[in-house]
Amino acid sequence: MTRLRLAGGCLLAVSFAAGAFSDSARRGPNMIVGGYRVLSADFHVHSFPLSWGTLAPWDTVIEAHRRGLDVIAITPHNHVWVAKVGRWYSGVYSSAGTGPIVLAGEEIVSAQYHLLAVGIQRTIGSNQTVASAIDEIHKQGGIAIAAHPLAQYWPAYDAEARRKLDGAEVLQPIAWRSEDLAGQLRQFYESAHLTAFGDSDYHGLGPVGVCRTYVFTREPTEQGVFDAIRAGRTVVYDRGRAYGDPELIELAARDGRLPKLDPTGQSTGLSVMLSRITGIAGLVIAFFSLGGAHARN
Amino acid sequence: MLRPGSAYSTLARQPTTTGMWLAVKRPLFLAFLLGCTISLITSAGLNWRLASSATVYWSYVPGCEIAALGAAVSLRGREGLSLARTIDLFFMGHGPWTLWLIGLGAIWSFFPPARAFAITSPAWLYGALAAVIVWSAWIDFCFFRFGLGRDRGSAWRGLLLQRLISWSLVILVIGAPAIPSDLGERLRL
């Protein structure tokens, strides 16, 4: 048993060492296309606690930086408290000027719809219509994005709500689960003149920013991001498809760099592979060595 | 894990040490496992910074379980076992959850995200989760029945109380603000 524990411990130590070796921030695209500074953004991120997320706000900010994101919006369910913690921490973390811009937000979750409020200061209640929630978001200077607008949520988005919306998620990880779900997101996006968003709806499964929005800003600041969104200057890529401003899609295609970026790509370096193999093996061995007689019975 | 009744009968009769380490070693392992799984899922490897940080704040899960176990056990007294030994025996029954977490970590670290999302579709995820919940409930029932020597009815009551308290606390911390809306959505209210 002691040998087994030792083996598990050694494997875990190797895994952590290999993980530390590969623990460096990915550089964002940091590119200028057609005079715009293109920022890589994820506007739908959940944190621990109170939002069905696994990472605390500080870890979320660091992970976003590691994944090369320039902008994230932390959007807890029906409150803004955790988002404000993340925004505060980003001020500390980004003091060297390297971290992402963190926007405080909320995912307004009601039984009829899910709506992202990005760039707000106070919690917006969920017990109201979409149109009235959007009014409140705009009063606070924020932007309103339809979160994963699948067919079940369409009845809540009446004509008034669709006219007031700033944007809709046209890409979400749920789109990878079935072509039908992907089609529903596309259909909603195409039903109104909306700014395109690709968000990870990050709850902890997979890396943050696995779906992302490229924002074409005049300046890489918070205000620059809001101005770009209100002007509809975003592009989203999904498996050969592109959504967003057609002129910007064309511009990016001529430039060639942006469509080649793959945020879904997994690290395949030797140290990462070593870390995951030894990590899994180490945990299994540690479990059986600790389980003792009970594990054998 | 496969024959928890006989395992707990044997284990409860075995002489053992007592003390703080016995009480905390398995709960600490569970917290460490949660931290490592989060790291594997998020960064596809074991990242010391991420795993250690997540271990600290996810240690509230074993904390809630110990509090709930304390409540379930204290209603009937300690039943001949020290609290440390009771905690140790109870956390021995976490095998199904441990394997489920390691499996989840393996899927998310070895498959590209798009593929992993497809594999862990809600039907698959909830199906596996349901199996783990039932398996784990059976093991914990055996803990109350054979580890603590209770009769059948009392063992079921102990299990239900432990689950009610620990799961309520865990779920409240993870997602309290959206629970009423989530329920409304699922019940189509």
Side-chain angles (χ1 to χ4, degrees), chain A residues 43-44 73 75 106-108 114-118 130 134 137-138 142-149 157 164-170 188 194-199 213 229:
Chain A
F43 293 98
H44 192 168
T75 52
E106 174 188 348
E107 181 176 6
I108 304 169
H114 291 203
L115 179 69
L116 295 175
V118 174
V130 177
I134 295 172
I137 295 167
H138 288 161
I143 54 168
I145 306 165
H148 42 78
Y157 290 94
K164 288 177 175 175
L165 263 179
D166 296 296
E169 287 179 343
V170 67
F188 184 86
L194 296 168
T195 301
F197 287 89
D199 295 330
T213 309
I229 290 171

Coordinates of all heavy atoms in Angstrom, one line a residue, chain A residues 43-44 73 75 106-108 114-118 130 134 137-138 142-149 157 164-170 188 194-199 213 229:
Chain A
F43 N -18.3 37.0 -23.8 CA -19.2 37.8 -23.0 C -20.2 37.0 -22.1 O -21.1 37.6 -21.7 CB -20.0 38.8 -24.0 CG -19.2 39.8 -24.7 CD1 -18.7 39.6 -26.0 CD2 -18.8 41.0 -24.0 CE1 -18.0 40.5 -26.6 CE2 -18.1 41.9 -24.7 CZ -17.6 41.7 -26.0
H44 N -19.9 35.8 -22.0 CA -20.8 34.9 -21.2 C -20.0 33.9 -20.4 O -19.8 32.8 -20.8 CB -21.8 34.2 -22.1 CG -22.9 33.5 -21.5 ND1 -24.0 33.1 -22.2 CD2 -23.2 33.3 -20.2 CE1 -24.9 32.5 -21.3 NE2 -24.4 32.6 -20.1
A73 N -16.8 39.1 -20.0 CA -17.9 39.6 -19.2 C -18.2 38.5 -18.2 O -18.6 37.4 -18.7 CB -19.1 40.0 -20.0
T75 N -20.8 36.9 -15.9 CA -22.3 37.1 -15.9 C -23.0 36.1 -15.0 O -23.6 35.1 -15.5 CB -22.8 36.9 -17.4 OG1 -22.3 35.7 -17.9 CG2 -22.4 38.0 -18.3
E106 N -24.6 40.3 -15.9 CA -25.5 39.4 -15.2 C -26.2 38.6 -16.3 O -26.5 39.1 -17.4 CB -26.6 40.2 -14.5 CG -27.7 39.4 -13.8 CD -28.8 40.3 -13.3 OE1 -28.6 41.6 -13.2 OE2 -29.9 39.8 -13.0
E107 N -26.5 37.3 -16.0 CA -27.4 36.5 -16.9 C -28.7 36.5 -16.2 O -28.9 35.9 -15.2 CB -26.9 35.1 -17.1 CG -27.9 34.4 -18.1 CD -27.4 32.9 -18.5 OE1 -26.4 32.5 -17.9 OE2 -28.1 32.3 -19.3
I108 N -29.6 37.3 -16.8 CA -31.0 37.4 -16.2 C -31.7 36.1 -16.6 O -32.0 35.8 -17.8 CB -31.7 38.6 -16.7 CG1 -30.9 39.9 -16.4 CG2 -33.1 38.7 -16.1 CD1 -31.4 41.1 -17.1
H114 N -33.4 33.8 -21.1 CA -32.1 34.1 -20.5 C -31.6 35.2 -21.3 O -31.5 35.2 -22.6 CB -31.2 32.9 -20.6 CG -31.6 31.7 -19.8 ND1 -30.7 30.7 -19.3 CD2 -32.8 31.3 -19.2 CE1 -31.3 29.8 -18.6 NE2 -32.6 30.2 -18.5
L115 N -31.2 36.3 -20.6 CA -30.7 37.5 -21.3 C -29.4 38.0 -20.6 O -29.4 38.1 -19.4 CB -31.8 38.6 -21.1 CG -31.6 39.9 -21.7 CD1 -31.5 39.9 -23.3 CD2 -32.7 40.9 -21.3
L116 N -28.4 38.3 -21.4 CA -27.2 38.8 -20.8 C -27.2 40.3 -20.7 O -27.6 41.0 -21.7 CB -26.0 38.4 -21.7 CG -25.7 36.9 -21.8 CD1 -24.5 36.7 -22.8 CD2 -25.3 36.3 -20.5
A117 N -26.9 40.8 -19.5 CA -26.8 42.2 -19.3 C -25.3 42.5 -19.1 O -24.8 42.1 -18.0 CB -27.6 42.7 -18.1
V118 N -24.6 43.1 -20.0 CA -23.2 43.3 -19.9 C -22.8 44.8 -19.7 O -23.4 45.7 -20.4 CB -22.4 42.8 -21.2 CG1 -21.0 43.1 -21.1 CG2 -22.7 41.3 -21.3
V130 N -38.9 40.7 -21.4 CA -37.5 40.9 -22.0 C -37.4 42.4 -22.3 O -36.3 43.0 -22.0 CB -37.3 40.1 -23.3 CG1 -36.0 40.4 -23.9 CG2 -37.4 38.6 -23.0
I134 N -34.5 44.9 -21.0 CA -33.5 45.6 -21.9 C -33.5 47.1 -21.6 O -32.4 47.7 -21.6 CB -33.9 45.3 -23.3 CG1 -33.7 43.8 -23.7 CG2 -33.0 46.1 -24.3 CD1 -34.2 43.4 -25.1
I137 N -31.3 47.6 -18.7 CA -29.9 47.4 -19.0 C -29.4 48.7 -19.7 O -28.3 49.2 -19.3 CB -29.7 46.2 -20.0 CG1 -30.1 44.9 -19.3 CG2 -28.3 46.1 -20.5 CD1 -30.3 43.7 -20.2
H138 N -30.2 49.2 -20.6 CA -29.7 50.4 -21.4 C -29.6 51.6 -20.4 O -28.7 52.4 -20.6 CB -30.7 50.7 -22.5 CG -30.5 49.7 -23.6 ND1 -31.5 49.5 -24.6 CD2 -29.5 48.8 -23.9 CE1 -31.1 48.5 -25.5 NE2 -29.9 48.1 -25.1
G142 N -25.5 49.5 -20.2 CA -25.1 48.2 -20.6 C -25.6 47.8 -22.0 O -26.3 48.6 -22.6
I143 N -25.2 46.6 -22.4 CA -25.7 46.1 -23.6 C -26.5 44.8 -23.3 O -26.2 44.1 -22.4 CB -24.6 45.8 -24.7 CG1 -23.5 44.9 -24.1 CG2 -24.1 47.1 -25.2 CD1 -22.6 44.4 -25.1
A144 N -27.5 44.5 -24.1 CA -28.4 43.4 -23.9 C -28.2 42.3 -25.0 O -28.3 42.7 -26.2 CB -29.8 43.8 -23.9
I145 N -27.9 41.1 -24.6 CA -27.6 40.0 -25.6 C -28.5 38.9 -25.3 O -28.5 38.4 -24.1 CB -26.1 39.6 -25.5 CG1 -25.1 40.8 -25.6 CG2 -25.8 38.5 -26.5 CD1 -23.7 40.5 -25.2
A146 N -29.2 38.3 -26.3 CA -30.0 37.1 -26.1 C -29.1 36.0 -25.8 O -28.2 35.6 -26.7 CB -30.9 36.9 -27.3
A147 N -29.2 35.3 -24.7 CA -28.3 34.2 -24.3 C -28.9 32.9 -24.9 O -30.1 32.6 -24.7 CB -28.2 34.1 -22.8
H148 N -28.1 32.1 -25.6 CA -28.5 30.8 -26.2 C -30.0 30.8 -26.5 O -30.8 30.1 -26.0 CB -28.2 29.6 -25.3 CG -28.5 29.8 -23.8 ND1 -29.7 29.7 -23.3 CD2 -27.6 30.1 -22.8 CE1 -29.6 29.9 -22.0 NE2 -28.4 30.2 -21.7
P149 N -30.4 31.7 -27.5 CA -31.9 31.8 -27.8 C -32.4 30.7 -28.7 O -32.6 30.8 -29.9 CB -31.9 33.1 -28.6 CG -30.6 33.3 -29.2 CD -29.6 32.6 -28.3
Y157 N -39.3 36.7 -26.8 CA -38.7 37.8 -27.6 C -39.8 38.3 -28.6 O -39.8 37.9 -29.7 CB -37.5 37.3 -28.3 CG -36.3 37.1 -27.3 CD1 -36.1 35.8 -26.8 CD2 -35.5 38.1 -26.9 CE1 -35.0 35.6 -25.9 CE2 -34.4 37.9 -26.0 CZ -34.2 36.6 -25.6 OH -33.2 36.4 -24.7
K164 N -35.2 46.1 -29.6 CA -34.4 46.7 -28.5 C -33.1 46.0 -28.3 O -32.1 46.5 -27.8 CB -35.2 46.8 -27.2 CG -36.2 47.9 -27.3 CD -37.0 47.9 -26.0 CE -38.0 49.1 -25.9 NZ -38.9 49.0 -24.7
L165 N -33.1 44.7 -28.6 CA -31.9 43.9 -28.3 C -30.6 44.4 -29.1 O -30.7 44.9 -30.2 CB -32.1 42.4 -28.9 CG -32.5 41.3 -28.0 CD1 -32.7 40.1 -28.8 CD2 -31.6 41.1 -26.8
D166 N -29.5 44.3 -28.4 CA -28.2 44.7 -29.0 C -27.6 43.6 -29.8 O -26.9 43.8 -30.8 CB -27.2 45.2 -28.0 CG -27.7 46.5 -27.3 OD1 -27.9 47.5 -27.9 OD2 -28.0 46.4 -26.0
G167 N -27.8 42.4 -29.3 CA -27.2 41.3 -30.1 C -27.7 39.9 -29.6 O -28.5 39.8 -28.7
A168 N -27.2 38.9 -30.3 CA -27.7 37.5 -29.9 C -26.5 36.6 -30.1 O -25.6 36.8 -30.9 CB -28.8 37.1 -30.8
E169 N -26.5 35.5 -29.3 CA -25.5 34.5 -29.4 C -25.8 33.6 -30.6 O -26.8 32.9 -30.6 CB -25.4 33.7 -28.1 CG -24.8 34.4 -27.0 CD -24.7 33.6 -25.7 OE1 -25.4 32.6 -25.6 OE2 -23.9 34.0 -24.8
V170 N -24.9 33.7 -31.6 CA -25.2 32.8 -32.8 C -24.3 31.6 -32.7 O -24.5 30.6 -33.4 CB -24.8 33.7 -34.0 CG1 -23.4 34.0 -34.1 CG2 -25.3 32.9 -35.3
F188 N -32.6 32.5 -35.0 CA -32.9 33.7 -34.2 C -32.0 34.9 -34.6 O -32.6 36.0 -34.7 CB -32.7 33.3 -32.7 CG -33.1 34.5 -31.8 CD1 -34.4 34.6 -31.3 CD2 -32.2 35.4 -31.3 CE1 -34.8 35.6 -30.5 CE2 -32.6 36.5 -30.5 CZ -33.9 36.6 -30.1
L194 N -29.1 42.0 -35.7 CA -28.4 41.9 -34.4 C -26.9 41.8 -34.6 O -26.4 41.3 -35.6 CB -29.0 40.7 -33.6 CG -30.5 40.7 -33.3 CD1 -30.9 39.4 -32.8 CD2 -30.7 41.8 -32.2
T195 N -26.2 42.3 -33.5 CA -24.8 42.1 -33.5 C -24.5 40.6 -33.1 O -25.2 40.0 -32.2 CB -24.2 43.0 -32.4 OG1 -24.5 44.3 -32.8 CG2 -22.7 42.8 -32.3
A196 N -23.6 40.0 -33.8 CA -23.3 38.6 -33.6 C -22.3 38.3 -32.4 O -21.4 39.1 -32.3 CB -22.6 38.0 -34.9
F197 N -22.7 37.3 -31.6 CA -21.8 37.0 -30.5 C -21.6 35.5 -30.5 O -22.5 34.7 -30.8 CB -22.5 37.4 -29.2 CG -22.5 38.8 -28.9 CD1 -23.5 39.6 -29.3 CD2 -21.4 39.4 -28.2 CE1 -23.5 41.0 -29.1 CE2 -21.4 40.8 -28.0 CZ -22.4 41.6 -28.4
G198 N -20.3 35.1 -30.2 CA -20.0 33.8 -30.0 C -19.4 33.7 -28.6 O -18.4 34.3 -28.2
D199 N -20.1 33.0 -27.7 CA -19.7 33.0 -26.3 C -19.6 31.5 -25.8 O -20.3 30.6 -26.3 CB -20.8 33.7 -25.4 CG -20.9 35.2 -25.7 OD1 -19.8 35.7 -26.1 OD2 -22.0 35.7 -25.6
T213 N -15.9 36.0 -29.6 CA -16.4 37.0 -30.5 C -15.2 37.9 -30.8 O -14.4 38.3 -29.8 CB -17.4 37.9 -29.8 OG1 -18.5 37.1 -29.2 CG2 -18.0 38.9 -30.7
I229 N -19.6 47.3 -30.3 CA -20.8 46.4 -30.2 C -22.0 47.1 -30.7 O -22.8 46.6 -31.5 CB -21.0 45.8 -28.8 CG1 -19.8 44.8 -28.4 CG2 -22.3 45.2 -28.6 CD1 -19.8 44.4 -27.0

